């Protein structure tokens, strides 16, 4: 009889741990929401000259005001950073693009290594997205003649606040 009670308590405790420990392990590319503070990260490594980083869906009960964007971007040697913009979508895909993207590229210069160009894009912006929208950052690269195959590697963070209107 005591073993059965012990087993129930142990299973309940393990279930409790799984419920509360799982979100902690799943923080990669997941938003951080603390009061009105909002932060999310996304990364991509793609062979091609167009990369879109999709962030988690904004909270369904608040507007998301993106105020700061920071990206570390690498392009294959022979390729240059082209257009870089932040935008929003009604779906987790370009089919729902709201058509209100803002350029975040600025005039950053690349640091060059043997095989990559490294860019750091850090900018203040203001993009207001409605509840439940999907923020994204779109990155394009352009090539010089006879360039190596294209590759874009990016790690980006969006920071902002949540509001009721």
């Amino acid at each position: 009889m005591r073993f059965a009670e012990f087993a129930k308590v142990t299973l309940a405790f393990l279930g409790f741990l799984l419920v509360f420990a799982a979100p902690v392990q799943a923080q990669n590319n997941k938003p951080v929401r603390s009061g009105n503070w909002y932060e999310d990260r996304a990364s991509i490594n793609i062979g091609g000259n167009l990369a879109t980083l999709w962030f988690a869906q904004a909270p369904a009960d608040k507007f998301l005001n993106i105020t700061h964007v920071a990206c570390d971007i690498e392009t294959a040697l022979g390729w240059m950073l082209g257009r870089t913009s932040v935008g929003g979508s009604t779906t987790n895909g370009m089919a729902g693009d709201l058509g209100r993207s803002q350029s975040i590229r600025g005039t950053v210069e690349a640091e060059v290594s043997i095989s990559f160009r490294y860019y750091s894009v850090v900018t203040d912006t203001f993009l207001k997205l409605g509840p439940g929208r999907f923020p994204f950052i779109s990155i394009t690269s352009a090539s010089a003649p006879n360039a190596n195959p294209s590759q874009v590697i990016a790690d980006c963070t969006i920071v902002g606040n949540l509001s009721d209107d």
Side-chain angles (χ1 to χ4, degrees), residues 82-87 100-106 121 123-125:
R83 181 167 162 70
T84 305
S85 60
V86 61
R100 298 180 26 242
S101 62
Q102 295 180 3
S103 176
I104 58 172
R105 184 178 182 310
V121 174
T123 188
D124 292 329
T125 187

Side-chain angles (χ1 to χ4, degrees), residues 70-128:
C71 292
D72 287 327
I73 303 169
E74 302 172 29
T75 62
L77 197 58
W79 291 79
M80 298 166 277
L81 183 61
R83 181 167 162 70
T84 305
S85 60
V86 61
S89 179
T90 58
T91 62
N92 193 6
M94 293 309 289
D97 185 1
L98 297 171
R100 298 180 26 242
S101 62
Q102 295 180 3
S103 176
I104 58 172
R105 184 178 182 310
T107 57
V108 297
E109 294 294 323
E111 293 184 33
V112 180
S113 73
I114 295 173
S115 56
F116 282 96
R117 292 179 186 266
Y118 298 93
Y119 298 88
S120 182
V121 174
V122 179
T123 188
D124 292 329
T125 187
F126 189 82
L127 179 65
K128 186 178 201 83

Side-chain angles (χ1 to χ4, degrees), residues 2-14:
R2 289 221 175 244
F3 179 76
E5 287 180 45
F6 177 75
K8 285 181 186 177
V9 170
T10 302
L11 284 175
F13 181 71
L14 288 175

Side-chain angles (χ1 to χ4, degrees), residues 31-83:
V32 175
R33 181 178 175 178
S34 177
N36 289 335
W37 171 267
Y38 187 86
E39 177 184 314
D40 197 3
R41 298 170 188 269
S43 57
I44 195 167
N45 183 341
I46 188 166
N49 69 328
L50 173 61
T52 303
L53 292 87
W54 288 98
F55 296 88
Q57 185 176 18
D61 62 334
K62 299 283 185 181
F63 285 84
L64 171 59
N65 306 300
I66 299 172
T67 58
H68 188 77
V69 177
C71 292
D72 287 327
I73 303 169
E74 302 172 29
T75 62
L77 197 58
W79 291 79
M80 298 166 277
L81 183 61
R83 181 167 162 70

